[in-house]
Amino acid sequence: MIEYFQSNMWQLWLLVCLLCLILELTSGDFFIMCFSLGALAALVATPFTGFVGQLVVWMLGTVLCLLFVRPVMLKYFHKKDSDRPSNADALMGRTGTVSQTIVAGDHGRVKIDGDDWKAVSAATTDIPVGAKVKVVGRDSIILTVTPVNQ
């Protein structure tokens, strides 16, 4: 049985490689991918070396990938991550449609990309249902909007 495992170590490295690639899909930061590329290097080394040599190739391949490949991948794929807004900050400057009349000095509702948000008007007049508005600010999850002149 030991002979079988020794002669088919490539299957183990292929399994490690595929498992790490699947796990990489959940994170997206190219860290686990380096372990996958190290396992691919060990897979290539299976006909030439024993298990200990394969482990060394796997570790060396992983470290080299972390040092040289990952920074390039992060720079290429995550160019604008430092200034990428998320959640409610991503709504700034977006346009939406009023779904409940926004009374001046009171609240109403605005629909943006299928989501309904509580909103107040920066204008001094009421904004009727169906009017286009632009998000100009927010206070927690309450958006401040102005009418868009069509």
Side-chain angles (χ1 to χ4, degrees), residues 95-145:
T95 58
T97 307
V98 176
S99 58
Q100 178 185 348
T101 301
I102 303 173
V103 179
D106 201 8
H107 296 91
R109 310 260 335 152
V110 174
K111 186 170 283 247
I112 301 173
D113 294 336
D115 293 326
D116 202 52
W117 294 86
K118 191 172 191 178
V120 294
S121 174
T124 57
T125 59
D126 295 351
I127 304 174
V129 173
K132 296 288 183 186
V133 291
K134 181 177 180 178
V135 178
V136 294
R138 73 175 182 88
D139 182 25
S140 184
I141 59 169
I142 301 172
L143 304 177
T144 304
V145 296

Side-chain angles (χ1 to χ4, degrees), residues 59-91:
M59 287 186 282
L60 186 64
T62 300
V63 168
L64 289 174
C65 180
L66 284 170
L67 292 175
F68 298 110
V69 176
R70 185 172 184 258
V72 172
M73 298 293 280
L74 286 174
K75 188 181 293 184
Y76 181 74
F77 286 107
H78 297 286
K79 291 178 184 174
K80 298 178 183 177
D81 274 356
S82 60
D83 62 344
R84 191 170 96 196
S86 62
N87 299 333
D89 289 331
L91 295 173

Side-chain angles (χ1 to χ4, degrees), residues 32-50:
I32 301 172
M33 182 191 68
C34 292
F35 289 91
S36 178
L37 292 176
L40 188 62
L43 174 75
V44 171
T46 52
F48 308 109
T49 184

